[in-house]
Amino acid sequence: QLWIPIFIYVASLALYISGAVTELMFFENSDIGSPGVCLRSFNLATLGNALVSPSSLTDNSAAGQTWILFLVYVILVLAFPVLTHILQVIFLIGWSRSMKLKRMIKWTSAIWCFACIEVLLIGVFAVEFKFPQLVGKLAGDTNAGFLEVKSGLGIGFYILIAYSVVAGFLQWSLIVRYDEKKQLLAESVAEMENDV
């Protein structure tokens, strides 16, 4: 029954890739009465790159901290999910060859716990939900009437929610299957000892 976790793995990987390259969130602003609209759209990669873009680093008194934030973002949101998927496929290959991979499943679980897609999605939702009010407060009462700000969640947001659920189920199922295999192995060893 190896095909079930392989199917879940492929679904998880496909959801992560498609969620990472599609629109996660967008901001649209315009001056009242002006025909021009400024639209900023972000996916997982461009959201991280926005932290260290030349415009965000201009007059930034904490540029070093911004770069550290960018590195943490890359590690927790981009690198750890990819590393988790690599370790999961190694575990599945080893499992199909009846290898003992106790340390592999523990490392995979530890890294998966720090992959922060779910935390990012909660933060994106909070920012998107309150962004127009934030801009209004920053502009002040007299200037807020001149700005029209809209924000929204892209399809990538919802794909990454599905990814989070599927990836969590995959990791749980691998741990359960590993524990079942370990228990079966212990029972067969006990039977062999009883026969001797």
PDB file of all heavy atoms in Angstrom, residues 16 68-83 111 114-116:
ATOM      1  N   TYR A  16       2.103  22.675  -3.270  1.00  0.00           N
ATOM      2  CA  TYR A  16       3.114  23.643  -2.840  1.00  0.00           C
ATOM      3  C   TYR A  16       3.655  24.436  -4.030  1.00  0.00           C
ATOM      4  O   TYR A  16       3.754  25.667  -3.974  1.00  0.00           O
ATOM      5  CB  TYR A  16       4.266  22.953  -2.107  1.00  0.00           C
ATOM      6  CG  TYR A  16       5.340  23.932  -1.686  1.00  0.00           C
ATOM      7  CD1 TYR A  16       5.124  24.784  -0.613  1.00  0.00           C
ATOM      8  CD2 TYR A  16       6.537  24.032  -2.372  1.00  0.00           C
ATOM      9  CE1 TYR A  16       6.087  25.706  -0.228  1.00  0.00           C
ATOM     10  CE2 TYR A  16       7.505  24.948  -1.993  1.00  0.00           C
ATOM     11  CZ  TYR A  16       7.269  25.777  -0.921  1.00  0.00           C
ATOM     12  OH  TYR A  16       8.222  26.695  -0.552  1.00  0.00           O
ATOM     13  N   ILE A  68      18.285  39.987   7.498  1.00  0.00           N
ATOM     14  CA  ILE A  68      18.118  38.816   8.377  1.00  0.00           C
ATOM     15  C   ILE A  68      16.687  38.309   8.295  1.00  0.00           C
ATOM     16  O   ILE A  68      16.445  37.093   8.222  1.00  0.00           O
ATOM     17  CB  ILE A  68      18.521  39.154   9.825  1.00  0.00           C
ATOM     18  CG1 ILE A  68      20.030  39.362   9.895  1.00  0.00           C
ATOM     19  CG2 ILE A  68      18.078  38.060  10.788  1.00  0.00           C
ATOM     20  CD1 ILE A  68      20.533  39.892  11.216  1.00  0.00           C
ATOM     21  N   LEU A  69      15.711  39.216   8.294  1.00  0.00           N
ATOM     22  CA  LEU A  69      14.312  38.830   8.138  1.00  0.00           C
ATOM     23  C   LEU A  69      14.094  38.113   6.808  1.00  0.00           C
ATOM     24  O   LEU A  69      13.388  37.100   6.734  1.00  0.00           O
ATOM     25  CB  LEU A  69      13.412  40.066   8.233  1.00  0.00           C
ATOM     26  CG  LEU A  69      11.919  39.843   8.080  1.00  0.00           C
ATOM     27  CD1 LEU A  69      11.401  38.961   9.200  1.00  0.00           C
ATOM     28  CD2 LEU A  69      11.190  41.179   8.078  1.00  0.00           C
ATOM     29  N   PHE A  70      14.728  38.616   5.749  1.00  0.00           N
ATOM     30  CA  PHE A  70      14.629  37.974   4.438  1.00  0.00           C
ATOM     31  C   PHE A  70      15.208  36.564   4.480  1.00  0.00           C
ATOM     32  O   PHE A  70      14.609  35.615   3.940  1.00  0.00           O
ATOM     33  CB  PHE A  70      15.350  38.824   3.383  1.00  0.00           C
ATOM     34  CG  PHE A  70      15.476  38.157   2.052  1.00  0.00           C
ATOM     35  CD1 PHE A  70      14.379  38.031   1.217  1.00  0.00           C
ATOM     36  CD2 PHE A  70      16.697  37.647   1.626  1.00  0.00           C
ATOM     37  CE1 PHE A  70      14.486  37.413  -0.019  1.00  0.00           C
ATOM     38  CE2 PHE A  70      16.812  37.031   0.393  1.00  0.00           C
ATOM     39  CZ  PHE A  70      15.705  36.915  -0.427  1.00  0.00           C
ATOM     40  N   LEU A  71      16.373  36.382   5.096  1.00  0.00           N
ATOM     41  CA  LEU A  71      16.988  35.052   5.189  1.00  0.00           C
ATOM     42  C   LEU A  71      16.118  34.082   5.984  1.00  0.00           C
ATOM     43  O   LEU A  71      15.970  32.911   5.609  1.00  0.00           O
ATOM     44  CB  LEU A  71      18.384  35.151   5.804  1.00  0.00           C
ATOM     45  CG  LEU A  71      19.438  35.831   4.933  1.00  0.00           C
ATOM     46  CD1 LEU A  71      20.747  35.985   5.699  1.00  0.00           C
ATOM     47  CD2 LEU A  71      19.661  35.054   3.650  1.00  0.00           C
ATOM     48  N   VAL A  72      15.543  34.557   7.075  1.00  0.00           N
ATOM     49  CA  VAL A  72      14.643  33.711   7.863  1.00  0.00           C
ATOM     50  C   VAL A  72      13.421  33.333   7.029  1.00  0.00           C
ATOM     51  O   VAL A  72      12.970  32.183   7.058  1.00  0.00           O
ATOM     52  CB  VAL A  72      14.247  34.428   9.176  1.00  0.00           C
ATOM     53  CG1 VAL A  72      13.116  33.703   9.876  1.00  0.00           C
ATOM     54  CG2 VAL A  72      15.454  34.551  10.093  1.00  0.00           C
ATOM     55  N   TYR A  73      12.880  34.297   6.295  1.00  0.00           N
ATOM     56  CA  TYR A  73      11.739  34.021   5.411  1.00  0.00           C
ATOM     57  C   TYR A  73      12.094  32.941   4.393  1.00  0.00           C
ATOM     58  O   TYR A  73      11.339  31.983   4.203  1.00  0.00           O
ATOM     59  CB  TYR A  73      11.319  35.313   4.693  1.00  0.00           C
ATOM     60  CG  TYR A  73      10.209  35.126   3.694  1.00  0.00           C
ATOM     61  CD1 TYR A  73       8.881  35.165   4.099  1.00  0.00           C
ATOM     62  CD2 TYR A  73      10.477  34.883   2.356  1.00  0.00           C
ATOM     63  CE1 TYR A  73       7.856  34.985   3.192  1.00  0.00           C
ATOM     64  CE2 TYR A  73       9.465  34.703   1.442  1.00  0.00           C
ATOM     65  CZ  TYR A  73       8.151  34.752   1.856  1.00  0.00           C
ATOM     66  OH  TYR A  73       7.143  34.565   0.959  1.00  0.00           O
ATOM     67  N   VAL A  74      13.239  33.077   3.754  1.00  0.00           N
ATOM     68  CA  VAL A  74      13.648  32.096   2.743  1.00  0.00           C
ATOM     69  C   VAL A  74      13.819  30.715   3.367  1.00  0.00           C
ATOM     70  O   VAL A  74      13.370  29.710   2.804  1.00  0.00           O
ATOM     71  CB  VAL A  74      14.953  32.549   2.036  1.00  0.00           C
ATOM     72  CG1 VAL A  74      15.560  31.436   1.208  1.00  0.00           C
ATOM     73  CG2 VAL A  74      14.688  33.767   1.173  1.00  0.00           C
ATOM     74  N   ILE A  75      14.418  30.662   4.537  1.00  0.00           N
ATOM     75  CA  ILE A  75      14.645  29.368   5.191  1.00  0.00           C
ATOM     76  C   ILE A  75      13.328  28.724   5.605  1.00  0.00           C
ATOM     77  O   ILE A  75      13.058  27.563   5.296  1.00  0.00           O
ATOM     78  CB  ILE A  75      15.594  29.524   6.398  1.00  0.00           C
ATOM     79  CG1 ILE A  75      16.999  29.848   5.907  1.00  0.00           C
ATOM     80  CG2 ILE A  75      15.597  28.265   7.262  1.00  0.00           C
ATOM     81  CD1 ILE A  75      17.950  30.287   7.001  1.00  0.00           C
ATOM     82  N   LEU A  76      12.468  29.479   6.307  1.00  0.00           N
ATOM     83  CA  LEU A  76      11.259  28.894   6.884  1.00  0.00           C
ATOM     84  C   LEU A  76      10.131  28.681   5.876  1.00  0.00           C
ATOM     85  O   LEU A  76       9.342  27.744   6.028  1.00  0.00           O
ATOM     86  CB  LEU A  76      10.751  29.763   8.038  1.00  0.00           C
ATOM     87  CG  LEU A  76      11.683  29.886   9.241  1.00  0.00           C
ATOM     88  CD1 LEU A  76      11.066  30.767  10.310  1.00  0.00           C
ATOM     89  CD2 LEU A  76      12.049  28.527   9.807  1.00  0.00           C
ATOM     90  N   VAL A  77      10.043  29.530   4.866  1.00  0.00           N
ATOM     91  CA  VAL A  77       8.911  29.439   3.941  1.00  0.00           C
ATOM     92  C   VAL A  77       9.278  28.748   2.635  1.00  0.00           C
ATOM     93  O   VAL A  77       8.432  28.094   2.031  1.00  0.00           O
ATOM     94  CB  VAL A  77       8.332  30.851   3.678  1.00  0.00           C
ATOM     95  CG1 VAL A  77       7.247  30.825   2.640  1.00  0.00           C
ATOM     96  CG2 VAL A  77       7.811  31.450   4.970  1.00  0.00           C
ATOM     97  N   LEU A  78      10.506  28.865   2.222  1.00  0.00           N
ATOM     98  CA  LEU A  78      10.894  28.257   0.941  1.00  0.00           C
ATOM     99  C   LEU A  78      11.775  27.019   1.120  1.00  0.00           C
ATOM    100  O   LEU A  78      11.499  25.974   0.541  1.00  0.00           O
ATOM    101  CB  LEU A  78      11.601  29.296   0.061  1.00  0.00           C
ATOM    102  CG  LEU A  78      10.766  30.532  -0.291  1.00  0.00           C
ATOM    103  CD1 LEU A  78      11.608  31.553  -1.032  1.00  0.00           C
ATOM    104  CD2 LEU A  78       9.539  30.167  -1.072  1.00  0.00           C
ATOM    105  N   ALA A  79      12.835  27.107   1.915  1.00  0.00           N
ATOM    106  CA  ALA A  79      13.797  26.004   2.011  1.00  0.00           C
ATOM    107  C   ALA A  79      13.271  24.824   2.842  1.00  0.00           C
ATOM    108  O   ALA A  79      13.409  23.673   2.422  1.00  0.00           O
ATOM    109  CB  ALA A  79      15.117  26.506   2.595  1.00  0.00           C
ATOM    110  N   PHE A  80      12.693  25.091   4.004  1.00  0.00           N
ATOM    111  CA  PHE A  80      12.244  23.982   4.860  1.00  0.00           C
ATOM    112  C   PHE A  80      11.139  23.133   4.229  1.00  0.00           C
ATOM    113  O   PHE A  80      11.190  21.905   4.335  1.00  0.00           O
ATOM    114  CB  PHE A  80      11.831  24.485   6.234  1.00  0.00           C
ATOM    115  CG  PHE A  80      12.981  24.641   7.195  1.00  0.00           C
ATOM    116  CD1 PHE A  80      14.298  24.496   6.793  1.00  0.00           C
ATOM    117  CD2 PHE A  80      12.749  24.947   8.520  1.00  0.00           C
ATOM    118  CE1 PHE A  80      15.348  24.649   7.674  1.00  0.00           C
ATOM    119  CE2 PHE A  80      13.794  25.101   9.421  1.00  0.00           C
ATOM    120  CZ  PHE A  80      15.090  24.948   8.992  1.00  0.00           C
ATOM    121  N   PRO A  81      10.135  23.723   3.565  1.00  0.00           N
ATOM    122  CA  PRO A  81       9.162  22.846   2.897  1.00  0.00           C
ATOM    123  C   PRO A  81       9.805  21.986   1.803  1.00  0.00           C
ATOM    124  O   PRO A  81       9.475  20.805   1.671  1.00  0.00           O
ATOM    125  CB  PRO A  81       8.143  23.823   2.302  1.00  0.00           C
ATOM    126  CG  PRO A  81       8.210  25.013   3.184  1.00  0.00           C
ATOM    127  CD  PRO A  81       9.658  25.122   3.568  1.00  0.00           C
ATOM    128  N   VAL A  82      10.738  22.555   1.045  1.00  0.00           N
ATOM    129  CA  VAL A  82      11.411  21.779   0.001  1.00  0.00           C
ATOM    130  C   VAL A  82      12.252  20.675   0.633  1.00  0.00           C
ATOM    131  O   VAL A  82      12.230  19.520   0.188  1.00  0.00           O
ATOM    132  CB  VAL A  82      12.266  22.707  -0.893  1.00  0.00           C
ATOM    133  CG1 VAL A  82      13.149  21.908  -1.824  1.00  0.00           C
ATOM    134  CG2 VAL A  82      11.373  23.660  -1.673  1.00  0.00           C
ATOM    135  N   LEU A  83      12.995  20.997   1.692  1.00  0.00           N
ATOM    136  CA  LEU A  83      13.800  19.994   2.383  1.00  0.00           C
ATOM    137  C   LEU A  83      12.916  18.896   2.978  1.00  0.00           C
ATOM    138  O   LEU A  83      13.269  17.713   2.921  1.00  0.00           O
ATOM    139  CB  LEU A  83      14.643  20.663   3.480  1.00  0.00           C
ATOM    140  CG  LEU A  83      15.593  19.767   4.253  1.00  0.00           C
ATOM    141  CD1 LEU A  83      16.591  19.092   3.322  1.00  0.00           C
ATOM    142  CD2 LEU A  83      16.321  20.573   5.326  1.00  0.00           C
ATOM    143  N   ILE A 111      11.922  19.187  10.943  1.00  0.00           N
ATOM    144  CA  ILE A 111      12.010  20.243   9.929  1.00  0.00           C
ATOM    145  C   ILE A 111      10.620  20.683   9.499  1.00  0.00           C
ATOM    146  O   ILE A 111      10.358  21.873   9.325  1.00  0.00           O
ATOM    147  CB  ILE A 111      12.854  19.772   8.728  1.00  0.00           C
ATOM    148  CG1 ILE A 111      14.308  19.610   9.175  1.00  0.00           C
ATOM    149  CG2 ILE A 111      12.765  20.745   7.562  1.00  0.00           C
ATOM    150  CD1 ILE A 111      15.190  18.937   8.170  1.00  0.00           C
ATOM    151  N   PHE A 114       8.995  23.324  11.604  1.00  0.00           N
ATOM    152  CA  PHE A 114       9.483  24.692  11.465  1.00  0.00           C
ATOM    153  C   PHE A 114       9.186  25.297  10.094  1.00  0.00           C
ATOM    154  O   PHE A 114       9.457  26.470   9.879  1.00  0.00           O
ATOM    155  CB  PHE A 114      10.986  24.757  11.755  1.00  0.00           C
ATOM    156  CG  PHE A 114      11.294  24.644  13.201  1.00  0.00           C
ATOM    157  CD1 PHE A 114      11.716  23.441  13.737  1.00  0.00           C
ATOM    158  CD2 PHE A 114      11.140  25.735  14.040  1.00  0.00           C
ATOM    159  CE1 PHE A 114      11.987  23.327  15.091  1.00  0.00           C
ATOM    160  CE2 PHE A 114      11.411  25.631  15.390  1.00  0.00           C
ATOM    161  CZ  PHE A 114      11.838  24.424  15.921  1.00  0.00           C
ATOM    162  N   ALA A 115       8.653  24.515   9.174  1.00  0.00           N
ATOM    163  CA  ALA A 115       8.244  25.065   7.882  1.00  0.00           C
ATOM    164  C   ALA A 115       6.979  25.884   8.121  1.00  0.00           C
ATOM    165  O   ALA A 115       5.966  25.353   8.540  1.00  0.00           O
ATOM    166  CB  ALA A 115       7.989  23.941   6.887  1.00  0.00           C
ATOM    167  N   CYS A 116       7.057  27.172   7.892  1.00  0.00           N
ATOM    168  CA  CYS A 116       6.045  28.109   8.408  1.00  0.00           C
ATOM    169  C   CYS A 116       5.023  28.568   7.381  1.00  0.00           C
ATOM    170  O   CYS A 116       4.625  29.736   7.387  1.00  0.00           O
ATOM    171  CB  CYS A 116       6.746  29.325   8.986  1.00  0.00           C
ATOM    172  SG  CYS A 116       7.687  28.941  10.446  1.00  0.00           S
TER     173      CYS A 116
END
